[in-house]
Amino acid sequence: MRRVAIEALLRIERDDAYANLALDAHLSRSGLDRRDRALVTELVYGTIRRRRSCDFLVDRFLRTSPPAEARAALRLGAYQLAFTDVPPHAAVSATVEAVAARYRGLLNAVLRKVAASDVEWPDDATRLSYPEWLVDLLRRDLGADAHDALEAMNHAPEPRRRDDGYVQDLGSQEVAAAVPIRSGDLLWDACAAPGGKATALAARGARVVAGDRRAARVGLMVSNVSRLGLDGQVTAVVADGAAPPLRPGRFDVVLVDAPCSGLGVLHRRADARWRVLPDDIDRLAALQRDVLRASIPLVRPGGLLVYSVCTMTRAETTDHDEWLAAFRPDLEPLEGPGGGWRPWGRGSLLLPQTLPSDGMALFRWRIPSAA
Ligand SMILES: C[S@@+](CC[C@H](N)C(=O)[O-])C[C@H]1O[C@@H](n2cnc3c(N)ncnc32)[C@H](O)[C@@H]1O
């Protein structure tokens, strides 16, 4: 079982493979039963999240950097020792047995030392296992809440199902619930795939036109819509939200659930913290602004514009609202929905540690009625 975990870790690290895809491929070839698959999944995702912490734990006892297989196994061993309930002797022996014979001496010696030693972490980024820049950014943008947010995103989220069976995190459910619609309202969902929020809103009686730029994801959305029996309520289209092929002024509500840096879902995407780069935030913020700018004219007078993202950076949230306040001072922000949401500029923030859930930001503005 640990052999499968080591091979998956090696593939993710060496070939820069996406964690979920690489792990699925290894699990389906493994012949392991359900329980063991769940354990391998926990070990692989946990080791990836805690990579920086694990490297610190083992590097104290290494003189040179070990070959990739030994490095992967050392991380896996250190993860079990420091962050799971696996008894130390079992963690060491099972991990040692899972590597090639030539690495067993090294693994055994280093992991025993890790098991026997106390830890003094050099800094929070190493202890919490995030890149330095990300810790600095969230500290700057979230202040005192950053620490608990980072801590919360080191733990695997509970899978959540809606009453209709659709798997959707509580944070996204909260966003959908905060979209004010009445039965029969016409809604444009500008970044809709795979259809989580579109189907939740259709189930509440909205007539949804659901667009996404990626055709393959629109295909996935169409099958989700059909499976939930909502074909009559949702029309799916491949469209660029920054240049929507729609007549202006027709929609009661426009939802922009924009592509974002995903810093609120780092627990869900185990390798994302090592992939996302500061430049991505600027690029995505520009795209978000383009989609927002193109969305405003689609709303009918008196209708609503709703913006949400699964991230917590100011560049992707309050900065847009400040830009809108200057560019369209006639848009009137709605009060926050309350509950777990805390005020965030003129919008609201759901921190990942609150429910707990994905971290989400939400802004809702009313377009003025025609004079
Ligand atoms: C956060 S996801 C949307 C999740 C979806 N609303 C839900 O609840 O299931 C963002 C989506 O934006 C899409 N996207 C990226 N760029 C876009 C663009 N220029 N126009 C429209 N959609 C875009 C991505 O393909 C992705 O599916």
Side-chain angles (χ1 to χ4, degrees):
M1 188 184 65
R2 281 171 179 76
R3 183 70 216 159
V4 179
I6 292 168
E7 279 170 11
L9 286 168
L10 263 176
R11 167 116 175 73
I12 293 160
E13 195 57 34
R14 227 175 12 202
D15 306 341
D16 198 27
Y18 280 103
N20 57 342
L21 301 180
L23 181 60
D24 282 355
H26 281 275
L27 285 178
S28 58
R29 285 200 297 268
S30 68
L32 293 175
D33 65 21
R34 255 176 99 87
R35 239 188 74 222
D36 284 351
R37 281 179 185 221
L39 185 55
V40 172
T41 302
E42 204 297 293
L43 291 179
V44 169
Y45 285 169
T47 302
I48 293 170
R49 282 191 207 97
R50 295 286 195 169
R51 192 176 85 189
R52 183 168 182 179
S53 310
C54 292
D55 280 347
F56 172 78
L57 292 174
V58 301
D59 283 350
R60 296 174 297 165
F61 307 113
L62 288 170
R63 253 169 293 157
T64 54
S65 193
E69 180 184 338
R71 167 66 74 188
L74 284 167
R75 286 175 175 161
L76 178 68
Y79 174 68
Q80 296 166 78
L81 290 170
F83 303 112
T84 72
D85 298 333
V86 178
H89 62 276
V92 175
S93 62
T95 309
V96 169
E97 274 165 33
V99 286
R102 61 186 179 283
Y103 301 131
R104 288 189 186 148
L106 172 77
L107 259 279
N108 197 37
V110 173
L111 291 181
R112 278 167 184 272
K113 285 182 189 162
V114 171
S117 64
D118 292 332
V119 196
E120 226 174 273
W121 297 105
D123 49 54
D124 278 349
T126 310
R127 182 175 65 80
L128 295 168
S129 193
Y130 288 91
E132 216 84 46
W133 72 267
L134 209 156
V135 174
D136 292 346
L137 176 72
L138 287 190
R139 277 209 179 117
R140 188 196 71 192
D141 284 5
L142 294 179
D145 289 322
H147 178 272
D148 288 354
L150 291 163
E151 190 91 72
M153 291 190 292
N154 271 334
H155 301 286
E158 288 275 311
R160 296 286 185 161
R161 268 174 208 284
R162 302 193 311 224
D163 290 345
D164 62 6
Y166 189 92
V167 177
Q168 187 177 43
D169 179 73
L170 279 183
S172 286
Q173 294 188 36
E174 287 278 331
V175 168
V179 177
I181 46 158
R182 288 166 307 190
S183 187
D185 273 358
L186 186 62
L187 182 136
W188 165 237
D189 187 348
C191 305
K197 299 182 189 72
T199 52
L201 293 163
R204 276 167 50 203
R207 294 171 295 136
V208 181
V209 186
D212 200 283
R213 196 168 60 176
R214 287 172 60 191
R217 287 176 66 82
V218 173
L220 186 59
M221 175 158 67
V222 168
S223 46
N224 284 334
V225 166
S226 293
R227 189 164 44 80
L228 297 174
L230 292 165
D231 299 271
Q233 297 281 118
V234 181
T235 307
V237 293
V238 179
D240 181 356
L246 298 163
R247 264 188 291 134
R250 277 181 58 213
F251 291 90
D252 299 295
V253 181
V254 171
L255 170 64
V256 178
D257 186 39
C260 71
S261 60
L263 300 191
V265 292
L266 296 174
H267 45 348
R268 185 174 305 291
R269 304 184 193 143
D271 52 347
R273 69 188 65 190
W274 310 119
R275 286 184 181 281
V276 65
L277 298 171
D279 283 355
D280 295 334
I281 295 172
D282 299 335
R283 182 180 50 78
L284 288 158
L287 171 61
Q288 291 153 4
R289 213 164 272 200
D290 287 346
V291 178
L292 272 174
R293 191 188 288 110
S295 297
I296 300 169
L298 302 178
V299 185
R300 68 163 169 79
L304 290 164
L305 175 65
V306 179
Y307 173 77
S308 57
V309 276
C310 57
T311 196
M312 303 167 292
T313 66
R314 294 227 172 239
E316 298 171 275
T317 61
T318 47
D319 284 3
H320 293 328
D321 180 56
E322 282 164 23
W323 160 75
L324 262 182
F327 157 66
R328 285 292 304 258
D330 54 325
L331 301 197
E332 183 198 323
L334 261 55
E335 286 250 319
W341 294 95
R342 50 160 274 194
W344 184 238
R346 301 192 304 169
S348 308
L349 190 68
L350 185 60
L351 289 160
Q353 63 266 38
T354 303
L355 294 177
S357 68
D358 292 350
M360 308 285 304
L362 173 76
F363 291 81
R364 308 179 297 177
W365 306 271
R366 187 169 296 286
I367 307 293
S369 303

